[in-house]
Amino acid sequence: MPAPDLVTAELTLTGRLTTASNATFLGSIGDAAVVYKPIAGEKPLWDFPEGCLAHREVAAYLVSEVLGWNIVPRTWLRDGRFGEGMVQLWQETDPEQTAVDLVPEEDVPDTGWKEVLQGQDESGGIVSLIHEDTPALRRMAVFDVLVNNADRKGDHILPMGDGHRYGVDHGLTFHSEHKLRTVLWGWIGDELSAEELAGIDRVLEGLDGELGSQLAKLLTAEEIEAFAARCVRLRSAGVFPAPSGDMPAVPWPLF
């Protein structure tokens, strides 16, 4: 039998993620496991307009698709038990893998990982925040710069069994002001690869076509203009940026 239509078929709720800052439910549409975040369950924020986080999550997915890097799981808007909201395909992660970690200073690997910052644990020991040095995470870092992700926590990176890395929880994106807060700072000053530059080119081209039309239904004109400017700026610089502005460079908590 064909798969049920993910937009119109019944969305059955099966649980709730109580640790999420906004109302977040687990559910199913036929055989597809999904996450459902109703707009009615979004908590107001001082720096983002109300009732728009779901739209930003969908916008992030659309940009991920145009980049061609499969960073964001399929995400769309639809009705559910508590009204319209964001629905995203659930991803089963590999519990044996991690993409971001906190380790004692002396345990930072010599290769394959990037150190982001150091701090003290509860006993006064020095610990390091590290992340994988992989093409998948580099692409996610580029994506975060473009969409102005204000909340790239370690737990918002899903390690899959085949080595792929998904990024989730993109409600705090696309602000017209600089908001970038991420744990993925390991490549500051490194040149972007040809593949990464080509991805930005695809987005810039898409903004003049279908992507621009789709984003216009989800974001304000000012936000889209700022998004385009970030794409041009990163493409012209050709390197991973460093933190800037008065905002904290990393989210809190880190995970």
Side-chain angles (χ1 to χ4, degrees), residues 34-49:
V34 299
V35 176
Y36 163 55
K37 299 180 182 179
I39 294 173
E42 296 177 1
K43 294 181 179 179
L45 299 168
W46 69 270
D47 55 346
F48 279 80

Side-chain angles (χ1 to χ4, degrees), residues 121-159:
D121 61 19
E122 61 276 6
S123 62
I126 302 299
V127 295
S128 296
L129 175 67
I130 61 174
H131 63 66
E132 293 177 325
D133 183 12
T134 61
L137 280 201
R138 278 181 59 108
R139 292 192 292 265
M140 192 178 297
V142 172
F143 166 82
D144 285 342
V145 174
L146 297 181
V147 303
N148 200 17
N149 192 355
D151 198 32
R152 175 61 72 204
K153 294 182 172 70
D155 285 345
H156 293 174
I157 301 169
L158 307 185

